[in-house]
Amino acid sequence: MIRLLLTAGILSGLMNAYASGWTDPVEVRQEENLCLTYQAKLEGSLLIVRATIEPGWHTFAMDIKKRAEEKLAGKASLGIERGTEFLLSGGFETAGPWYQSAPKDFSKPEIRYYSWGYERQAIFAAKVKRAGAGPVKIAIRGQACTETSCKNIDAAISLMQAGGKTEGEPEIRLTDLVQVR
């Protein structure tokens, strides 16, 4: 009976993800520990990537390097984490700037350490246009960290949707996000 309930719960979750247009989650792990998952979907011409971050972990803004350089104003730094980046191949290319959730400031200015990122969840979005036939592949590069360790991210999402019709209000609006610097 428990197995039947678990199977029904898993199938229900998958059906909800499919119905909402999100891809299956792509997991990033450090050994057996889940760090975060990524999912993507297309709403009209808007590509949306969602990072769901596990408790104790955080990941970084797309423009962390630019933000840190502005704060450092030419001074040396202890180091800068690897910002999140997305590379599209296959059938889409970006048709404008990337946007992201407003990042949290993790900086410690007293030691010239500047960092911005996310805990729990982050949304990234860009307008895209068709650039050829075939499925879209979204390569994801970045870093996820705890207080004591970091994991480099090298993942990919395949987006098989031909895409596009959004009924009613879109789930994400660019005005809810900040433009990547």
Side-chain angles (χ1 to χ4, degrees):
M1 182 63 159
I2 292 174
R3 177 184 255 173
L4 182 60
L5 288 173
L6 285 173
T7 302
I10 291 168
L11 287 174
S12 173
L14 289 173
M15 297 279 284
N16 288 339
Y18 180 75
S20 69
W22 291 104
T23 60
D24 290 336
V26 173
E27 296 181 344
V28 175
R29 293 183 171 274
Q30 184 179 51
E31 297 173 11
E32 288 118 34
N33 300 316
L34 182 61
C35 308
L36 69 158
T37 59
Y38 289 98
Q39 291 178 285
K41 76 174 182 173
L42 192 61
E43 283 190 355
S45 64
L46 190 63
L47 173 65
I48 303 166
V49 180
R50 175 174 63 192
T52 303
I53 305 151
E54 292 298 304
W57 287 90
H58 57 274
T59 194
F60 301 99
M62 292 180 76
D63 53 7
I64 189 171
K65 185 175 180 181
K66 175 99 170 139
R67 288 171 181 263
E69 287 171 353
E70 289 171 0
K71 289 288 188 179
L72 288 165
K75 295 180 182 169
S77 170
L78 288 177
I80 299 172
E81 286 85 0
R82 188 175 178 190
T84 301
E85 61 181 300
F86 303 100
L87 305 167
L88 302 181
S89 62
F92 285 147
E93 62 183 32
T94 57
W98 277 94
Y99 290 80
Q100 61 189 351
S101 301
K104 179 178 177 179
D105 190 346
F106 299 136
S107 301
K108 297 176 184 169
E110 65 279 4
I111 59 171
R112 285 197 320 249
Y113 170 80
Y114 294 97
S115 180
W116 292 265
Y118 307 100
E119 298 172 316
R120 301 187 65 180
Q121 182 172 290
I123 300 292
F124 304 93
K127 288 186 178 183
V128 294
K129 63 182 179 182
R130 187 58 71 185
V136 176
K137 183 176 177 184
I138 306 163
I140 306 165
R141 307 287 182 269
Q143 194 174 46
C145 297
T146 66
E147 289 297 318
T148 58
S149 68
C150 289
K151 165 72 177 163
N152 283 332
I153 297 170
D154 185 8
I157 298 174
S158 292
L159 186 63
M160 297 301 204
Q161 291 180 325
K165 303 281 186 209
T166 303
E167 308 253 340
E169 282 293 308
E171 185 174 333
I172 303 295
R173 293 187 314 258
L174 291 182
T175 56
D176 296 336
L177 305 172
V178 295
Q179 185 174 334
V180 173
R181 298 178 185 182

